[in-house]
Amino acid sequence: MIPSQQYRFLRQSARDGLSIKHDSSRWAKLHLDPWLLSFLLLNAALGLMVVYSATSEDSSMVIRQAISFGVGFVLMFICAQVPPKVYQAASPYFYAFGIFMLLLVFVIGERRLGATRWITLPGVGSMQPSEVMKFAMPLMMAWYFARKPFPPKFLDIVGSLVILGVPFVLVALQPDLNIGLIIPGIFVLFLSGMSWRLILGAMGALAVVAPLLWMFLLQEYQKKRILTLFDPESDALGAGWNIIQSKIAIGSGGMTGKGYSQGTQSHLGYLPEHHTDFIMSTYAEEFGFIGVFLLFSLFMAIIIRCLMIGLNSFHNFGRLYAGATGLTFFFFVFLNSGMVSGILPVTGDPLPLMSYGGTAVIAMLAGMGIVMSIHTHR
């Protein structure tokens, strides 16, 4: 390459580098991560499409879900503008507000399906306060451990278990044994450097007290769900109906699926809760193995991006919160997928950003906004 050509090549390379830096600075000024935002938008579009099919093309429900996504993305953008140190300082107040909302359930809560879990607020509508606590729990736990030495001492772990235990007991009294409520906090505890000796000890202790939990804590319908998991045909027209129909829907999808809005199990009413808890079964029936593989790839991209942001964070609060958010997203994907495929008990936890329901969508996107704030505020 002659000198004049080298000069032009270097000058063009410098311009390209400045252009790339300028483009990235635009996203930095908006405090948004383009990769995570793209993945979430794709997930939202796919979720609305499946809800439209699962609700038998009920446009009113799709509009309500689209409004929830709109509110969630606006809240995500607002949350991304706030520096992480503000969230760290406000975490105890978020936690206290979540506890207040859980207590409010016992005063003005609505009883549905045998449990009092929902409240109706003027101008807001029906909401489930436990979803608010899923948003506040990892913030509180990250705030708690960010102020402690790593790895945490035994007394610090005991204090964190108290933070986890208070909302768990309040939700269990509804009654709703919602383990998904404390999972974000447990992931923060794990990421804080808790020794494997304590982790294995806790698992052993849980195995010891499991019979007591079975006898005194679990409700009859919850025991029946667990027993039905091992032999759904024992009550094929009762407790085992959901799992059996879900397996039929997933299996009938085959490799490529029956086609969009062509699922028979969901559209003919055999599959219950096909737009909420069992929306994965509806999706698998219509899009088949290939569609499920692409959806899981999208989920994995979201999870990996959250973990990368956590690894690149310069402060413990950001590392703990972003990492726990990614692992929590994975947990709910695994829990819902295992539930509909018959390898885990039916728990009623939604598929993130896919199942119909506004509170869960808004809380998840708000949490993703905090992750973006951790990434862009250095």
Side-chain angles (χ1 to χ4, degrees), residues 199-214:
I199 294 175
L200 295 176
M203 294 174 63
L206 182 62
V208 171
V209 302
L212 297 177
L213 297 177
W214 176 270

Side-chain angles (χ1 to χ4, degrees), residues 37 40-41 43-45 48 61-79 353 357-366:
L37 178 62
L40 293 174
L41 288 172
N43 203 160
L48 289 175
M61 296 185 70
V62 177
I63 291 173
R64 287 197 293 270
Q65 186 73 348
I67 292 174
S68 297
F69 272 114
V71 173
F73 277 110
V74 170
L75 187 58
M76 181 189 71
F77 177 78
I78 295 174
C79 290
L353 303 181
T359 309
V361 166
I362 293 173
M364 178 62 70
L365 290 176

Side-chain angles (χ1 to χ4, degrees), residues 161 261 263:
L161 294 178
S261 295

Side-chain angles (χ1 to χ4, degrees), residues 27 68 73 89 98 129 154 175 192 246 291 300 307 356:
W27 289 107
S68 297
F73 277 110
F154 179 76
S192 67
S246 178
M300 187 58 64
L307 294 178
Y356 178 82

Side-chain angles (χ1 to χ4, degrees), residues 297-375:
S297 299
L298 180 59
F299 286 154
M300 187 58 64
I302 294 173
I303 295 165
I304 291 176
R305 188 57 185 166
C306 289
L307 294 178
M308 289 177 60
I309 290 174
L311 287 172
N312 293 324
S313 176
F314 292 100
H315 45 86
N316 290 336
F317 178 81
R319 291 192 192 99
L320 293 173
Y321 183 84
T325 300
L327 292 177
T328 301
F329 194 95
F330 164 78
F331 173 81
F332 284 116
V333 170
F334 173 77
L335 185 63
N336 184 272
S337 302
M339 176 186 73
V340 302
S341 57
I343 64 174
L344 292 175
V346 177
T347 59
D349 288 290
L351 186 64
L353 303 181
M354 293 291 289
S355 297
Y356 178 82
T359 309
V361 166
I362 293 173
M364 178 62 70
L365 290 176
M368 291 296 176
I370 299 177
V371 172
M372 292 187 185
S373 171
I374 292 169
H375 175 64

Side-chain angles (χ1 to χ4, degrees), residues 272-280 336 349-351 354-357:
E273 305 296 336
H274 49 270
H275 62 294
T276 53
D277 298 347
F278 289 88
I279 198 167
M280 173 59 82
N336 184 272
D349 288 290
L351 186 64
M354 293 291 289
S355 297
Y356 178 82

Side-chain angles (χ1 to χ4, degrees), residues 203-273:
M203 294 174 63
L206 182 62
V208 171
V209 302
L212 297 177
L213 297 177
W214 176 270
M215 289 187 294
F216 300 108
L217 187 60
L218 292 182
Q219 302 292 319
E220 286 300 322
Y221 75 94
Q222 293 168 334
K223 295 179 182 178
K224 199 167 186 179
R225 284 180 178 179
I226 297 175
L227 294 175
T228 304
L229 172 68
F230 301 102
D231 187 15
E233 285 75 16
S234 63
D235 189 10
L237 298 179
W241 175 266
N242 293 359
I243 297 177
I244 293 173
Q245 297 304 317
S246 178
K247 288 181 177 180
I248 293 174
I250 295 173
S252 63
M255 183 62 69
T256 58
K258 296 179 179 178
Y260 184 57
S261 295
Q262 301 300 315
T264 54
Q265 293 299 112
S266 57
H267 289 279
L268 295 180
Y270 291 104
L271 184 65
E273 305 296 336

